[in-house]
């Protein structure tokens, strides 16, 4: 459900208005999370590690309210009770992909079963951006996470659709590697600084790591 925020009574009024006129009000960050537990659980169950960490990311986002504020087509600040996941899935060896929307569910097995069914139903010849076009400028109740195949990266900067930033948080997850005896993976994101501060970023990475460990 979408809620329109009354700016004048909103606790983040000063934060939001401070960054509102910036040429670029977004910030980008990349940090690593430990993920050996989720990797082992996925392998033991014959499941997709990719879907395990998508669940962890989406769960963290839905547990931190600041990740669910948006700017709608009318320029209003809005808030969603929960958000879903957009993610590109590789469908051909030449790198062609198709973007799908995975609905949030607090129960992991329900989330996993639904996600697998959606992936299995992909039309490899469809328009890769069809899902992102649904709702047009009103596609707000999502985050987007891309996962470059087999690529570890130390940092990444996302594209930006509007001067006020993208419609929703943009994230990238990299290849898990062994580092100082720990299995870690990088997660990069670009978010609106009027909505999210360093405290919320730290909380996000802590939550994701807790779910993956």
């Amino acid at each position: 459900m979408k809620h329109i925020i009354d700016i004048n009574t909103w606790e983040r009024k000063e934060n939001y208005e401070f960054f509102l006129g910036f040429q670029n009000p977004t910030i980008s960050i990349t940090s690593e999370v430990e993920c050996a537990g989720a990797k082992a659980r996925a392998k033991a169950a014959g499941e997709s590690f990719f879907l395990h960490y998508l669940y962890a990311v989406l769960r963290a986002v839905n547990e931190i309210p600041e990740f669910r504020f948006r700017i709608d087509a009318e320029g209003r600040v809005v808030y969603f009770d929960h958000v879903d996941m957009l993610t590109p899935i590789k469908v051909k060896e030449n790198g062609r992909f198709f973007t799908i929307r995975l609905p949030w569910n607090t129960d992991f097995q329900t989330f996993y079963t639904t996600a697998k069914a959606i992936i299995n139903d992909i039309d490899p010849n469809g328009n890769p951006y069809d899902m992102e076009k649904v709702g047009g400028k009103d596609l707000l109740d999502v985050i987007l996470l891309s996962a470059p195949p087999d690529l570890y990266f130390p940092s990444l900067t996302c594209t930006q659709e509007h001067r006020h930033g993208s419609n929703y948080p943009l994230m990238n997850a990299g290849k898990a590697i062994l580092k100082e005896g720990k299995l870690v993976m990088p997660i990069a994101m670009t978010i609106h600084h009027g909505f999210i501060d360093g405290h919320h970023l730290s909380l996000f990475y802590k939550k994701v790591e807790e779910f993956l460990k």
Side-chain angles (χ1 to χ4, degrees), residues 109-122:
Q109 285 304 328
T110 302
F111 171 83
Y112 187 93
T113 301
T114 302
K116 283 290 289 183
I118 292 172
I119 291 172
N120 291 338
D121 199 39
I122 289 176

mmCIF file with all atom_site columns, all heavy atoms in Angstrom, residues 109-122:
data_model
loop_
_atom_site.group_PDB
_atom_site.id
_atom_site.type_symbol
_atom_site.label_atom_id
_atom_site.label_alt_id
_atom_site.label_comp_id
_atom_site.label_asym_id
_atom_site.label_entity_id
_atom_site.label_seq_id
_atom_site.pdbx_PDB_ins_code
_atom_site.Cartn_x
_atom_site.Cartn_y
_atom_site.Cartn_z
_atom_site.occupancy
_atom_site.B_iso_or_equiv
_atom_site.pdbx_formal_charge
_atom_site.auth_seq_id
_atom_site.auth_comp_id
_atom_site.auth_asym_id
_atom_site.auth_atom_id
_atom_site.pdbx_PDB_model_num
ATOM 1   N N   . GLN A 1 109 ? 10.623 -20.184 2.077   1.00 0.00 ? 109 GLN A N   1
ATOM 2   C CA  . GLN A 1 109 ? 10.253 -21.237 1.131   1.00 0.00 ? 109 GLN A CA  1
ATOM 3   C C   . GLN A 1 109 ? 9.171  -20.767 0.159   1.00 0.00 ? 109 GLN A C   1
ATOM 4   O O   . GLN A 1 109 ? 9.206  -21.124 -1.023  1.00 0.00 ? 109 GLN A O   1
ATOM 5   C CB  . GLN A 1 109 ? 9.801  -22.496 1.887   1.00 0.00 ? 109 GLN A CB  1
ATOM 6   C CG  . GLN A 1 109 ? 10.950 -23.273 2.513   1.00 0.00 ? 109 GLN A CG  1
ATOM 7   C CD  . GLN A 1 109 ? 12.023 -23.682 1.498   1.00 0.00 ? 109 GLN A CD  1
ATOM 8   O OE1 . GLN A 1 109 ? 11.736 -23.944 0.328   1.00 0.00 ? 109 GLN A OE1 1
ATOM 9   N NE2 . GLN A 1 109 ? 13.277 -23.721 1.945   1.00 0.00 ? 109 GLN A NE2 1
ATOM 10  N N   . THR A 1 110 ? 8.241  -19.955 0.631   1.00 0.00 ? 110 THR A N   1
ATOM 11  C CA  . THR A 1 110 ? 7.220  -19.405 -0.262  1.00 0.00 ? 110 THR A CA  1
ATOM 12  C C   . THR A 1 110 ? 7.848  -18.461 -1.269  1.00 0.00 ? 110 THR A C   1
ATOM 13  O O   . THR A 1 110 ? 7.538  -18.502 -2.468  1.00 0.00 ? 110 THR A O   1
ATOM 14  C CB  . THR A 1 110 ? 6.135  -18.668 0.544   1.00 0.00 ? 110 THR A CB  1
ATOM 15  O OG1 . THR A 1 110 ? 5.543  -19.580 1.485   1.00 0.00 ? 110 THR A OG1 1
ATOM 16  C CG2 . THR A 1 110 ? 5.047  -18.115 -0.379  1.00 0.00 ? 110 THR A CG2 1
ATOM 17  N N   . PHE A 1 111 ? 8.748  -17.603 -0.786  1.00 0.00 ? 111 PHE A N   1
ATOM 18  C CA  . PHE A 1 111 ? 9.462  -16.689 -1.676  1.00 0.00 ? 111 PHE A CA  1
ATOM 19  C C   . PHE A 1 111 ? 10.239 -17.491 -2.723  1.00 0.00 ? 111 PHE A C   1
ATOM 20  O O   . PHE A 1 111 ? 10.192 -17.190 -3.919  1.00 0.00 ? 111 PHE A O   1
ATOM 21  C CB  . PHE A 1 111 ? 10.424 -15.813 -0.877  1.00 0.00 ? 111 PHE A CB  1
ATOM 22  C CG  . PHE A 1 111 ? 11.367 -14.989 -1.725  1.00 0.00 ? 111 PHE A CG  1
ATOM 23  C CD1 . PHE A 1 111 ? 10.968 -13.778 -2.255  1.00 0.00 ? 111 PHE A CD1 1
ATOM 24  C CD2 . PHE A 1 111 ? 12.651 -15.451 -2.003  1.00 0.00 ? 111 PHE A CD2 1
ATOM 25  C CE1 . PHE A 1 111 ? 11.829 -13.028 -3.065  1.00 0.00 ? 111 PHE A CE1 1
ATOM 26  C CE2 . PHE A 1 111 ? 13.521 -14.711 -2.797  1.00 0.00 ? 111 PHE A CE2 1
ATOM 27  C CZ  . PHE A 1 111 ? 13.103 -13.497 -3.325  1.00 0.00 ? 111 PHE A CZ  1
ATOM 28  N N   . TYR A 1 112 ? 10.953 -18.517 -2.280  1.00 0.00 ? 112 TYR A N   1
ATOM 29  C CA  . TYR A 1 112 ? 11.813 -19.308 -3.171  1.00 0.00 ? 112 TYR A CA  1
ATOM 30  C C   . TYR A 1 112 ? 10.987 -20.039 -4.229  1.00 0.00 ? 112 TYR A C   1
ATOM 31  O O   . TYR A 1 112 ? 11.308 -19.987 -5.430  1.00 0.00 ? 112 TYR A O   1
ATOM 32  C CB  . TYR A 1 112 ? 12.622 -20.317 -2.350  1.00 0.00 ? 112 TYR A CB  1
ATOM 33  C CG  . TYR A 1 112 ? 13.650 -21.064 -3.164  1.00 0.00 ? 112 TYR A CG  1
ATOM 34  C CD1 . TYR A 1 112 ? 14.955 -20.599 -3.259  1.00 0.00 ? 112 TYR A CD1 1
ATOM 35  C CD2 . TYR A 1 112 ? 13.317 -22.234 -3.857  1.00 0.00 ? 112 TYR A CD2 1
ATOM 36  C CE1 . TYR A 1 112 ? 15.905 -21.278 -4.015  1.00 0.00 ? 112 TYR A CE1 1
ATOM 37  C CE2 . TYR A 1 112 ? 14.256 -22.901 -4.614  1.00 0.00 ? 112 TYR A CE2 1
ATOM 38  C CZ  . TYR A 1 112 ? 15.548 -22.420 -4.691  1.00 0.00 ? 112 TYR A CZ  1
ATOM 39  O OH  . TYR A 1 112 ? 16.474 -23.082 -5.455  1.00 0.00 ? 112 TYR A OH  1
ATOM 40  N N   . THR A 1 113 ? 9.913  -20.694 -3.808  1.00 0.00 ? 113 THR A N   1
ATOM 41  C CA  . THR A 1 113 ? 9.076  -21.452 -4.745  1.00 0.00 ? 113 THR A CA  1
ATOM 42  C C   . THR A 1 113 ? 8.448  -20.544 -5.785  1.00 0.00 ? 113 THR A C   1
ATOM 43  O O   . THR A 1 113 ? 8.413  -20.862 -6.985  1.00 0.00 ? 113 THR A O   1
ATOM 44  C CB  . THR A 1 113 ? 7.976  -22.209 -3.979  1.00 0.00 ? 113 THR A CB  1
ATOM 45  O OG1 . THR A 1 113 ? 8.584  -23.088 -3.031  1.00 0.00 ? 113 THR A OG1 1
ATOM 46  C CG2 . THR A 1 113 ? 7.097  -23.006 -4.923  1.00 0.00 ? 113 THR A CG2 1
ATOM 47  N N   . THR A 1 114 ? 7.966  -19.384 -5.342  1.00 0.00 ? 114 THR A N   1
ATOM 48  C CA  . THR A 1 114 ? 7.357  -18.418 -6.267  1.00 0.00 ? 114 THR A CA  1
ATOM 49  C C   . THR A 1 114 ? 8.388  -17.893 -7.250  1.00 0.00 ? 114 THR A C   1
ATOM 50  O O   . THR A 1 114 ? 8.134  -17.796 -8.459  1.00 0.00 ? 114 THR A O   1
ATOM 51  C CB  . THR A 1 114 ? 6.735  -17.245 -5.487  1.00 0.00 ? 114 THR A CB  1
ATOM 52  O OG1 . THR A 1 114 ? 5.757  -17.749 -4.566  1.00 0.00 ? 114 THR A OG1 1
ATOM 53  C CG2 . THR A 1 114 ? 6.067  -16.251 -6.424  1.00 0.00 ? 114 THR A CG2 1
ATOM 54  N N   . ALA A 1 115 ? 9.578  -17.554 -6.741  1.00 0.00 ? 115 ALA A N   1
ATOM 55  C CA  . ALA A 1 115 ? 10.646 -17.026 -7.597  1.00 0.00 ? 115 ALA A CA  1
ATOM 56  C C   . ALA A 1 115 ? 11.072 -18.040 -8.648  1.00 0.00 ? 115 ALA A C   1
ATOM 57  O O   . ALA A 1 115 ? 11.257 -17.699 -9.826  1.00 0.00 ? 115 ALA A O   1
ATOM 58  C CB  . ALA A 1 115 ? 11.840 -16.604 -6.738  1.00 0.00 ? 115 ALA A CB  1
ATOM 59  N N   . LYS A 1 116 ? 11.231 -19.301 -8.263  1.00 0.00 ? 116 LYS A N   1
ATOM 60  C CA  . LYS A 1 116 ? 11.629 -20.342 -9.209  1.00 0.00 ? 116 LYS A CA  1
ATOM 61  C C   . LYS A 1 116 ? 10.596 -20.500 -10.316 1.00 0.00 ? 116 LYS A C   1
ATOM 62  O O   . LYS A 1 116 ? 10.942 -20.655 -11.495 1.00 0.00 ? 116 LYS A O   1
ATOM 63  C CB  . LYS A 1 116 ? 11.808 -21.672 -8.484  1.00 0.00 ? 116 LYS A CB  1
ATOM 64  C CG  . LYS A 1 116 ? 13.092 -21.788 -7.684  1.00 0.00 ? 116 LYS A CG  1
ATOM 65  C CD  . LYS A 1 116 ? 14.324 -21.874 -8.571  1.00 0.00 ? 116 LYS A CD  1
ATOM 66  C CE  . LYS A 1 116 ? 14.413 -23.202 -9.285  1.00 0.00 ? 116 LYS A CE  1
ATOM 67  N NZ  . LYS A 1 116 ? 15.653 -23.300 -10.105 1.00 0.00 ? 116 LYS A NZ  1
ATOM 68  N N   . ALA A 1 117 ? 9.314  -20.438 -9.952  1.00 0.00 ? 117 ALA A N   1
ATOM 69  C CA  . ALA A 1 117 ? 8.248  -20.580 -10.946 1.00 0.00 ? 117 ALA A CA  1
ATOM 70  C C   . ALA A 1 117 ? 8.278  -19.422 -11.935 1.00 0.00 ? 117 ALA A C   1
ATOM 71  O O   . ALA A 1 117 ? 8.094  -19.608 -13.146 1.00 0.00 ? 117 ALA A O   1
ATOM 72  C CB  . ALA A 1 117 ? 6.892  -20.649 -10.247 1.00 0.00 ? 117 ALA A CB  1
ATOM 73  N N   . ILE A 1 118 ? 8.526  -18.211 -11.446 1.00 0.00 ? 118 ILE A N   1
ATOM 74  C CA  . ILE A 1 118 ? 8.586  -17.030 -12.318 1.00 0.00 ? 118 ILE A CA  1
ATOM 75  C C   . ILE A 1 118 ? 9.776  -17.139 -13.268 1.00 0.00 ? 118 ILE A C   1
ATOM 76  O O   . ILE A 1 118 ? 9.675  -16.862 -14.468 1.00 0.00 ? 118 ILE A O   1
ATOM 77  C CB  . ILE A 1 118 ? 8.665  -15.747 -11.470 1.00 0.00 ? 118 ILE A CB  1
ATOM 78  C CG1 . ILE A 1 118 ? 7.349  -15.529 -10.725 1.00 0.00 ? 118 ILE A CG1 1
ATOM 79  C CG2 . ILE A 1 118 ? 8.984  -14.530 -12.353 1.00 0.00 ? 118 ILE A CG2 1
ATOM 80  C CD1 . ILE A 1 118 ? 7.388  -14.403 -9.720  1.00 0.00 ? 118 ILE A CD1 1
ATOM 81  N N   . ILE A 1 119 ? 10.921 -17.559 -12.743 1.00 0.00 ? 119 ILE A N   1
ATOM 82  C CA  . ILE A 1 119 ? 12.125 -17.713 -13.577 1.00 0.00 ? 119 ILE A CA  1
ATOM 83  C C   . ILE A 1 119 ? 11.908 -18.776 -14.649 1.00 0.00 ? 119 ILE A C   1
ATOM 84  O O   . ILE A 1 119 ? 12.280 -18.589 -15.817 1.00 0.00 ? 119 ILE A O   1
ATOM 85  C CB  . ILE A 1 119 ? 13.341 -18.050 -12.696 1.00 0.00 ? 119 ILE A CB  1
ATOM 86  C CG1 . ILE A 1 119 ? 13.724 -16.848 -11.833 1.00 0.00 ? 119 ILE A CG1 1
ATOM 87  C CG2 . ILE A 1 119 ? 14.536 -18.476 -13.555 1.00 0.00 ? 119 ILE A CG2 1
ATOM 88  C CD1 . ILE A 1 119 ? 14.786 -17.131 -10.792 1.00 0.00 ? 119 ILE A CD1 1
ATOM 89  N N   . ASN A 1 120 ? 11.298 -19.879 -14.274 1.00 0.00 ? 120 ASN A N   1
ATOM 90  C CA  . ASN A 1 120 ? 11.066 -20.966 -15.227 1.00 0.00 ? 120 ASN A CA  1
ATOM 91  C C   . ASN A 1 120 ? 10.082 -20.578 -16.325 1.00 0.00 ? 120 ASN A C   1
ATOM 92  O O   . ASN A 1 120 ? 10.054 -21.212 -17.392 1.00 0.00 ? 120 ASN A O   1
ATOM 93  C CB  . ASN A 1 120 ? 10.553 -22.209 -14.498 1.00 0.00 ? 120 ASN A CB  1
ATOM 94  C CG  . ASN A 1 120 ? 11.611 -22.846 -13.619 1.00 0.00 ? 120 ASN A CG  1
ATOM 95  O OD1 . ASN A 1 120 ? 12.802 -22.652 -13.834 1.00 0.00 ? 120 ASN A OD1 1
ATOM 96  N ND2 . ASN A 1 120 ? 11.180 -23.593 -12.617 1.00 0.00 ? 120 ASN A ND2 1
ATOM 97  N N   . ASP A 1 121 ? 9.286  -19.540 -16.072 1.00 0.00 ? 121 ASP A N   1
ATOM 98  C CA  . ASP A 1 121 ? 8.251  -19.123 -17.023 1.00 0.00 ? 121 ASP A CA  1
ATOM 99  C C   . ASP A 1 121 ? 8.715  -17.981 -17.934 1.00 0.00 ? 121 ASP A C   1
ATOM 100 O O   . ASP A 1 121 ? 7.924  -17.436 -18.702 1.00 0.00 ? 121 ASP A O   1
ATOM 101 C CB  . ASP A 1 121 ? 6.998  -18.699 -16.241 1.00 0.00 ? 121 ASP A CB  1
ATOM 102 C CG  . ASP A 1 121 ? 5.747  -18.694 -17.118 1.00 0.00 ? 121 ASP A CG  1
ATOM 103 O OD1 . ASP A 1 121 ? 5.605  -19.607 -17.951 1.00 0.00 ? 121 ASP A OD1 1
ATOM 104 O OD2 . ASP A 1 121 ? 4.927  -17.760 -16.988 1.00 0.00 ? 121 ASP A OD2 1
ATOM 105 N N   . ILE A 1 122 ? 10.001 -17.614 -17.859 1.00 0.00 ? 122 ILE A N   1
ATOM 106 C CA  . ILE A 1 122 ? 10.518 -16.495 -18.660 1.00 0.00 ? 122 ILE A CA  1
ATOM 107 C C   . ILE A 1 122 ? 10.470 -16.828 -20.152 1.00 0.00 ? 122 ILE A C   1
ATOM 108 O O   . ILE A 1 122 ? 10.831 -17.931 -20.568 1.00 0.00 ? 122 ILE A O   1
ATOM 109 C CB  . ILE A 1 122 ? 11.976 -16.168 -18.255 1.00 0.00 ? 122 ILE A CB  1
ATOM 110 C CG1 . ILE A 1 122 ? 12.010 -15.534 -16.864 1.00 0.00 ? 122 ILE A CG1 1
ATOM 111 C CG2 . ILE A 1 122 ? 12.630 -15.230 -19.272 1.00 0.00 ? 122 ILE A CG2 1
ATOM 112 C CD1 . ILE A 1 122 ? 13.418 -15.277 -16.357 1.00 0.00 ? 122 ILE A CD1 1
#
